[in-house]
Amino acid sequence: ESVRATISLRDVSSTDLIVSNQINDFTADGEDGIPRLMLNQEEPGPNSIVPWIKPLRQFTLKPKEIVELEVVANIPKNAAPGGYYGVIRFTGTPPNLDGTGVSLSASIGTLVFIRVNGDAKESIAVEEFSVNDGGSAGWLFEYTPLNFVVRLKNTGNTFEAPQPVVKITDMTGKPIGNLEFNQTGRNVLPNSVRKFEQPLNDATLGGQWLFGQYKAALEVPYGTGNQTLKSELTFWIIPYRLIAAVVLGLIALFLIIRYALKSYAARIRKQSRGGRR
């Protein structure tokens, strides 16, 4: 079938622009979701929409003018179920340059995702579920705020937009707070890992002061079949340096009092012996 969508472009400059376009594949550049364009690719990738998109016309865009372009994707009958994606880029250049000169133009684009229905492979794995303070993951911390990290790997053949939830409880099972990740619905591409982070701070805790052992339960719903991944970790919040300082202070106070009592007792004994003479 054919899938249709509309892209609106606006000239935000003060001159006319000749707008041309190009359709490219892209992949994830690292784990933060930044797309990396595949500009010098000889053949489309296995998840490419490049062969499906009907060529778009070139046109002139006047200052502040908005033009709507219809994008048509023709899905072939033999397309395997799964996720396909690409980027449609637009470049605007002035119509003419008087004399000699160089025109430098940046491109702007929109990511396009298409899912072909059928028996697609939907599979997500938890690569990491951890808590850290200042980038150092661990299990013993002194105070909040802390930072929770969830790294998910898409081992299927379609893009996924999971929204993990971490439920935190104390050692008695009392709920402390929930952390919600990826509320904007960012995608995890096939064969890639994406990292999501969320802080545990006063906004989540509502001013609660934490002390003791806590459990964090991760749930990752994904896919059209309502699959759910689960993982757990345990961490402690104990201000051990403060406790150590208090203990040392008490020991020092005890020794000072003991010394003072001994000195006082010795002085009393000395005065007592002097009185008997």
Side-chain angles (χ1 to χ4, degrees):
E1 63 179 289
S2 293
V3 179
R4 299 175 184 271
T6 300
I7 297 177
S8 298
L9 293 177
R10 181 170 183 256
D11 183 357
V12 297
S13 71
S14 58
T15 61
D16 290 357
L17 294 175
I18 298 177
V19 180
S20 57
N21 61 83
Q22 188 174 358
I23 306 170
N24 300 108
D25 288 342
F26 73 92
T27 186
D29 189 9
E31 297 184 3
D32 294 325
I34 299 175
R36 178 166 59 88
L37 300 180
M38 312 295 289
L39 299 179
N40 300 317
Q41 195 174 18
E42 295 183 359
E43 296 291 336
N47 299 94
S48 177
I49 63 169
V50 173
W52 300 356
I53 302 294
K54 183 180 178 181
L56 304 179
R57 62 185 175 90
Q58 186 182 80
F59 61 95
T60 299
L61 194 59
K62 296 185 178 300
K64 313 307 178 186
E65 181 185 12
I66 298 176
V67 170
E68 292 188 348
L69 296 177
E70 184 181 56
V71 179
V72 180
N74 296 309
I75 315 300
K77 292 182 179 180
N78 62 348
Y84 298 83
Y85 43 89
V87 57
I88 302 177
R89 294 190 300 121
F90 299 91
T91 303
T93 56
N96 293 297
L97 290 175
D98 293 331
T100 60
V102 177
S103 175
L104 299 178
S105 299
S107 65
I108 186 171
T110 181
L111 305 181
V112 178
F113 295 87
I114 297 176
R115 182 185 174 104
V116 176
N117 293 328
D119 190 18
K121 181 183 178 183
E122 297 178 324
S123 180
I124 292 284
V126 177
E127 288 286 289
E128 178 186 351
F129 175 41
S130 65
V131 57
N132 67 73
D133 180 15
S136 300
W139 58 273
L140 177 61
F141 307 95
E142 292 189 81
Y143 307 102
T144 57
L146 301 174
N147 188 52
F148 278 80
V149 175
V150 177
R151 295 173 58 242
L152 302 176
K153 183 176 183 179
N154 187 346
T155 55
N157 66 353
T158 186
F159 46 84
E160 300 284 354
Q163 295 181 320
V165 175
V166 172
K167 299 179 180 179
I168 300 173
T169 55
D170 63 14
M171 62 185 69
T172 66
K174 176 185 174 182
I176 299 299
N178 294 341
L179 300 178
E180 298 179 346
F181 298 74
N182 194 29
Q183 293 304 294
T184 56
R186 293 171 291 172
N187 286 295
V188 185
L189 301 181
N191 301 312
S192 70
V193 176
R194 188 152 190 176
K195 179 172 69 174
F196 302 98
E197 298 181 87
Q198 199 73 304
L200 176 65
N201 52 24
D202 288 340
T204 305
L205 298 173
Q208 298 179 79
W209 188 73
L210 301 187
F211 182 90
Q213 184 188 56
Y214 297 90
K215 183 176 73 172
L218 169 68
E219 294 184 358
V220 186
Y222 71 95
T224 57
N226 297 321
Q227 301 98 311
T228 302
L229 285 176
K230 295 184 179 182
S231 183
E232 290 185 356
L233 62 82
T234 300
F235 64 99
W236 292 76
I237 297 181
I238 300 177
Y240 52 86
R241 279 186 286 196
L242 176 61
I243 293 174
V246 171
V247 171
L248 290 176
L250 292 175
I251 292 174
L253 180 62
F254 170 77
L255 293 176
I256 291 172
I257 294 174
R258 182 181 179 186
Y259 175 79
L261 290 175
K262 283 185 176 182
S263 299
Y264 176 75
R267 189 167 61 252
I268 294 298
R269 287 195 299 269
K270 183 177 179 181
Q271 290 175 355
S272 177
R273 285 195 299 267
R276 286 197 296 270
R277 291 176 187 163

